[in-house]
Amino acid sequence: MYQQSCNGFSTAGRQERCIGYSKAKQKRIALKLIPKVWSLEVGSANLTGAKSMRMSATKKSIILSVLLVSVLGLHSAKAEPWAPKTPRLPVAAAIGDYALTNVVMSPDGNHIAAVVPVPNGNPVVKVWDTRNLTKDPSVIGSSRMRFFSVSFIKNDRLSIIVNQPVSAGANSDWFSKVLFTDLEGKEFIEPMKGAFELRQTAVAGLLNRMARDPEHVLMASGALFEASDIFKVNVRTGVGQRVARQGDDESLASVGLDNDYNFRIKYDLKVENGVYFRRTYFREVGGNWKLLEPLTLDYSSRHALTVLRMSQDAQKLWVRTNKFSNYEAIYEFDIPTQKFSEAPIFANTEFDAASIRFWAANDDESLAGDPLAGFCYAGPVFECTYSDPTLKELQSKLERQFPGKSVSLVSVKDGGTRALVEVSSANFPTTWFIFENGTKLTRIIGALDGIDVNPANLAPAQWVTYKARDGLDIPGIVYLPPGYDAQRDGRIPLVVMPHGGPWSRDDMSWDVAAWAPLLATRGFAVLQPQYRGSEGLGLQLWLAGDKEWGAKMQDDKDDGARWLVEQGVADPDRMMMFGYSYGGFAAAAAAARSGTTSKGLWQCAIAGAPAVDLQRIKNDWGESRFQRQIQGRTVDGWDPMENLDKVQIPFLIFHGSYDNQADVIHSRTTAARIRQVNPKANFRYVEIPGMSHTLNKMTPAHREQFVPLMLDMLDHNCGNISKTFSEPGLKLPKNQKSAVLR
């Protein structure tokens, strides 16, 4: 993967975090009978050479109020179950293309571009002139292509990634390509036609936008650690010239580009006794590659090590790693001596460090120097703390303007007088603003524009921790219906919604799929357990999931449900599981364990795009030996496919016919097997033509197939939940029948 400047900051962090930098402070709420203290300790940071400062100066310990004090047996049974008095989030919020919206600012700050959904049509790109925001934005659209993301490659040129479905029998899938265009979309250019088509595992595309060159960008073809070429491409003609070639098991790092765009850092893969090692090399201009031995990464250790940035003088690296602690921290690495700093320059005691922010009022793309402006960590939300006084003041003003929200300085220009700002929270759909001169705030666009939504009617979320049965601490996120109070209102139905991956995690920003708020506004508590095997919440929790699929990983979901029962929130007779991708595997495991380990716990299970067959997963993981060795070897445990005869609860699977990631063959095989070994099972399988795996490779027509299907299942075929929940006016697709008619 490559690193690039993200909307004005020189980003030295995870690529997927390029949108959304600093986040407002979030309270971590424990569902306990007594208040819990959360102390956030942040390590000292060497910001200006010899001078150090404590980054936790603004992070004082927070005594948290308890929202959900409840004692078992305190409240008596009600004749009518509690339900929210506020309006439900419209189903359309989970069907439209709202997950596609991304917003970026041009390098000079004069324009903003965004992918915007269009009812009954493909998403478009809108471009605003920030110098005259009263003027309507220009609109770039296509009747054939679905725009997925947009970025500025020059002040007057856009790069747009488009997705298109391609029918090819068993290999049918969605393909993507990169296009260049002007700010009005008058002419589209496909750079080096055919060289930068993207599939699931490819990283082809923009490598570096070459900020010092007004006419060219660097682009890569091929996939990571595969033989490929790097081209210098003219942004106006699309003509490219090869400037470097990467061999098999080799990758040139864009983070190691110097001011003249020479590659100074590369990686290679080495295999010894079946163990993969990634080695890091450095070279002087015109010199030979030299191994940086301390940066060698043994993949079998599962440690992480990421080079975030190379200094302008090519003498120092900033590195994020967990080689020395449970959580990732940021260190300086001296290239001539090959030594890490004695202590991390940034660390957090409860979450992984994520990135560094480089910015200065006179160097907003950090092209002239290394103006270290702050650090970020991946807590309940992605949060940054700034040392630069301009950014610190802007962040403080915005947090006062949006109390309790996650506030991100996406891009800051003109010495801090113009900023693109992202505001989000679990109950505030992501919204983008322009903040001018530290006083004027102009709304640009919101994630649910066109949907009648009042954030006051959405569900708040809380970061919690509970004990698994073996004593391991499991983090989680709990959504509660608006206006709900456990002591006053009694128990409510629960949906446990594990994330996909499983090497992933949830956070408390707006849920782009809208599944959690959709359910919470309908009166459900929603638990998103960060079960063992989740990545990004410490090495210990991540490693604890190895070979525990369907076993201890599954226990963590069950234990989370039982914990919410203990807190007086969840009704033990109205609980179900819904998950997608790996979460679909977990839902399938819940169904298969309903006759044994989890008997009586769940009323029904809904599995979206599940990889059910554990043996097939082990054999087919990824598209390379490398992927199978790194993650595939951790896949083992209790196999739902071998226990479908034990399914005793209503069980729904839906899957896209173009899904080659969690291959649709899993669901087809499950459907055939369960009908053979458990013919009386209350089971239904729905296959959605042309739908792939990820949200960006789905259309509203696809989501119109499964979102109403899920709500209909809860209404008509989910045990005790269906006795108290209804979805009036639900419209099923013409080719679907209600679960009540099955």
Side-chain angles (χ1 to χ4, degrees):
M1 301 292 284
Y2 62 86
Q3 309 292 333
Q4 67 179 67
S5 174
C6 286
N7 311 320
F9 287 112
S10 175
T11 299
R14 296 180 178 174
Q15 184 185 355
E16 65 269 23
R17 295 293 186 179
C18 287
I19 298 175
Y21 286 171
S22 69
K23 297 285 187 178
K25 304 169 184 63
Q26 297 287 320
K27 294 185 177 180
R28 179 175 174 224
I29 299 172
L31 305 185
K32 298 292 184 182
L33 299 180
I34 57 174
K36 181 174 181 177
V37 179
W38 181 36
S39 298
L40 176 62
E41 298 179 5
V42 183
S44 59
N46 183 3
L47 299 179
T48 54
K51 184 178 181 181
S52 298
M53 64 180 295
R54 184 75 173 170
M55 295 302 294
S56 61
T58 61
K59 305 287 183 182
K60 297 181 179 179
S61 299
I62 304 171
I63 306 296
L64 300 174
S65 61
V66 178
L67 297 187
L68 299 176
V69 178
S70 177
V71 179
L72 285 173
L74 185 65
H75 46 74
S76 59
K78 294 185 177 182
E80 291 294 330
W82 179 87
K85 296 180 174 61
T86 50
R88 297 177 173 189
L89 181 67
V91 177
I95 290 176
D97 277 326
Y98 305 106
L100 297 181
T101 305
N102 83 296
V103 183
V104 291
M105 179 177 270
S106 62
D108 61 9
N110 289 338
H111 292 90
I112 291 172
V115 176
V116 180
V118 174
N120 303 315
N122 287 330
V124 300
V125 170
K126 290 188 177 182
V127 182
W128 290 262
D129 188 332
T130 60
R131 297 161 297 185
N132 183 10
L133 290 172
T134 61
K135 179 183 176 183
D136 289 338
S138 60
V139 179
I140 304 171
S142 170
S143 60
R144 297 182 299 106
M145 297 179 293
R146 286 181 55 79
F147 295 161
F148 166 54
S149 70
V150 62
S151 60
F152 282 93
I153 47 177
K154 303 298 174 188
N155 287 322
D156 61 344
R157 301 293 286 178
L158 299 171
S159 173
I160 300 175
I161 295 181
V162 300
N163 295 330
Q164 289 179 303
V166 176
S167 179
N171 295 316
S172 296
D173 200 353
W174 285 65
F175 288 78
S176 304
K177 63 175 61 177
V178 180
L179 300 176
F180 294 165
T181 189
D182 57 272
L183 301 189
E184 296 181 351
K186 292 180 178 178
E187 180 183 13
F188 284 91
I189 296 172
E190 183 178 353
M192 299 182 62
K193 189 171 182 178
F196 305 114
E197 288 189 348
L198 310 173
R199 289 198 68 181
Q200 176 184 319
T201 59
V203 291
L206 186 65
L207 193 67
N208 186 281
R209 70 175 193 83
M210 300 184 72
R212 299 177 180 85
D213 185 326
E215 302 296 325
H216 297 91
V217 294
L218 287 177
M219 302 187 74
S221 64
L224 190 65
F225 291 124
E226 290 184 5
S228 58
D229 294 320
I230 295 174
F231 299 91
K232 182 178 179 181
V233 181
N234 188 291
V235 300
R236 306 184 196 283
T237 66
V239 175
Q241 175 186 2
R242 189 174 67 201
V243 295
R245 170 164 284 179
Q246 303 173 123
D248 284 329
D249 297 331
E250 182 181 65
S251 176
L252 294 169
S254 63
V255 72
L257 284 167
D258 64 19
N259 291 338
D260 297 317
Y261 301 104
N262 299 304
F263 285 96
R264 309 287 291 277
I265 295 174
K266 78 167 183 176
Y267 309 114
D268 73 5
L269 284 180
K270 180 183 179 182
V271 184
E272 290 183 356
N273 300 319
V275 176
Y276 277 87
F277 295 85
R278 190 197 69 194
R279 301 181 297 186
T280 303
Y281 297 82
F282 173 82
R283 68 176 174 187
E284 299 291 350
V285 176
N288 296 322
W289 291 107
K290 180 180 180 181
L291 177 65
L292 302 178
E293 182 64 40
L295 300 186
T296 296
L297 181 63
D298 175 359
Y299 279 110
S300 68
S301 73
R302 299 272 291 287
H303 286 124
L305 191 149
T306 304
V307 177
L308 301 175
R309 180 182 171 96
M310 181 180 71
S311 61
Q312 297 286 356
D313 62 5
Q315 296 296 296
K316 181 169 61 176
L317 303 175
W318 286 269
V319 178
R320 185 185 70 230
T321 185
N322 58 3
K323 290 182 72 172
F324 314 114
S325 62
N326 185 43
Y327 297 101
E328 293 187 48
I330 296 174
Y331 296 80
E332 291 180 343
F333 182 82
D334 185 74
I335 294 174
T337 64
Q338 296 202 28
K339 290 184 178 181
F340 283 99
S341 54
E342 291 187 4
I345 62 171
F346 178 74
N348 184 283
T349 60
E350 295 190 66
F351 299 102
D352 285 345
S355 61
I356 312 176
R357 298 290 176 252
F358 292 91
W359 186 91
N362 61 351
D363 188 15
D364 57 36
E365 292 194 78
S366 62
L367 298 176
D370 302 303
L372 203 159
F375 297 94
C376 306
Y377 69 95
V381 292
F382 193 79
E383 184 172 348
C384 297
T385 303
Y386 295 110
S387 57
D388 178 86
T390 300
L391 300 185
K392 193 172 184 178
E393 182 180 5
L394 287 174
Q395 184 74 21
S396 178
K397 286 182 177 179
L398 289 163
E399 288 181 2
R400 290 195 297 270
Q401 181 76 24
F402 297 102
K405 306 294 186 294
S406 303
V407 179
S408 305
L409 294 172
V410 180
S411 215
V412 182
K413 299 293 179 180
D414 300 331
T417 61
R418 187 184 303 169
L420 175 62
V421 178
E422 176 191 300
V423 181
S424 178
S425 72
N427 61 342
F428 190 87
T430 308
T431 306
W432 289 267
F433 300 85
I434 288 293
F435 193 38
E436 297 176 279
N437 300 313
T439 56
K440 184 180 179 182
L441 198 66
T442 304
R443 187 182 189 277
I444 300 297
I445 191 173
L448 289 187
D449 282 1
I451 300 290
D452 185 14
V453 177
N454 181 351
N457 297 328
L458 296 177
Q462 302 153 39
W463 188 266
V464 301
T465 302
Y466 61 89
K467 290 284 186 183
R469 64 191 66 183
D470 63 357
L472 185 65
D473 286 332
I474 306 298
I477 297 171
V478 175
Y479 286 76
L480 294 173
Y484 170 72
D485 178 87
Q487 187 171 359
R488 180 193 65 209
D489 301 320
R491 299 181 183 276
I492 56 177
L494 169 68
V495 176
V496 173
M497 193 168 70
H499 60 73
W503 288 4
S504 181
R505 57 158 291 188
D506 296 303
D507 64 24
M508 289 170 52
S509 57
W510 174 250
D511 176 6
V512 294
W515 296 339
L518 188 79
L519 294 165
T521 59
R522 282 158 171 76
F524 290 86
V526 179
L527 171 64
Q528 295 178 319
Q530 309 308 294
Y531 48 84
R532 69 192 71 205
S534 298
E535 186 180 11
L537 292 167
L539 186 61
Q540 178 185 4
L541 184 70
W542 186 27
L543 292 173
D546 285 8
K547 300 184 179 181
E548 292 290 350
W549 288 51
K552 290 183 180 180
M553 290 171 73
Q554 196 69 21
D555 293 343
D556 294 344
K557 289 98 171 174
D558 291 8
D559 294 345
R562 291 188 174 104
W563 177 77
L564 277 173
V565 171
E566 293 172 0
Q567 308 311 308
V569 173
D571 183 342
D573 296 322
R574 290 186 293 161
M575 303 194 298
M576 63 85 63
M577 188 179 295
F578 160 60
Y580 190 88
S581 192
Y582 167 83
F585 169 91
R593 289 174 29 143
S594 64
T596 56
T597 310
S598 304
K599 189 175 181 66
L601 190 64
W602 309 110
Q603 295 296 305
C604 71
I606 301 176
V612 180
D613 188 338
L614 198 58
Q615 189 60 49
R616 181 183 289 273
I617 301 171
K618 290 164 60 177
N619 294 338
D620 296 345
W621 191 275
E623 295 188 1
S624 69
R625 182 186 174 202
F626 172 68
Q627 290 175 304
R628 288 189 290 274
Q629 285 289 323
I630 301 308
Q631 188 168 6
R633 67 183 180 86
T634 71
V635 178
D636 207 344
W638 187 87
D639 194 344
M641 185 65 76
E642 299 301 319
N643 292 276
L644 294 175
D645 60 318
K646 301 176 181 65
V647 172
Q648 293 186 0
I649 59 174
F651 180 26
L652 168 68
I653 293 179
F654 64 87
H655 213 137
S657 67
Y658 277 22
D659 191 343
N660 293 310
Q661 186 168 332
D663 201 297
V664 68
I665 192 64
H666 282 274
S667 291
R668 293 172 180 170
T669 304
T670 301
R673 177 77 63 86
I674 199 171
R675 288 165 183 152
Q676 179 186 26
V677 303
N678 195 352
K680 294 183 179 180
N682 187 337
F683 170 75
R684 187 180 187 187
Y685 172 51
V686 176
E687 189 166 304
I688 301 172
M691 188 174 86
S692 190
H693 192 73
T694 55
L695 283 173
N696 62 296
K697 294 181 179 180
M698 298 178 192
T699 67
H702 295 142
R703 291 186 286 272
E704 281 178 346
Q705 298 283 316
F706 70 79
V707 174
L709 191 68
M710 293 159 48
L711 294 174
D712 179 73
M713 178 84 168
L714 296 174
D715 191 341
H716 294 117
N717 195 20
C718 193
N720 291 328
I721 289 175
S722 299
K723 295 178 182 179
T724 59
F725 172 76
S726 63
E727 184 68 22
L730 182 66
K731 295 181 180 180
L732 290 172
K734 293 180 180 179
N735 63 334
Q736 298 282 359
K737 291 184 178 181
S738 172
V740 77
L741 299 176
R742 63 178 302 281

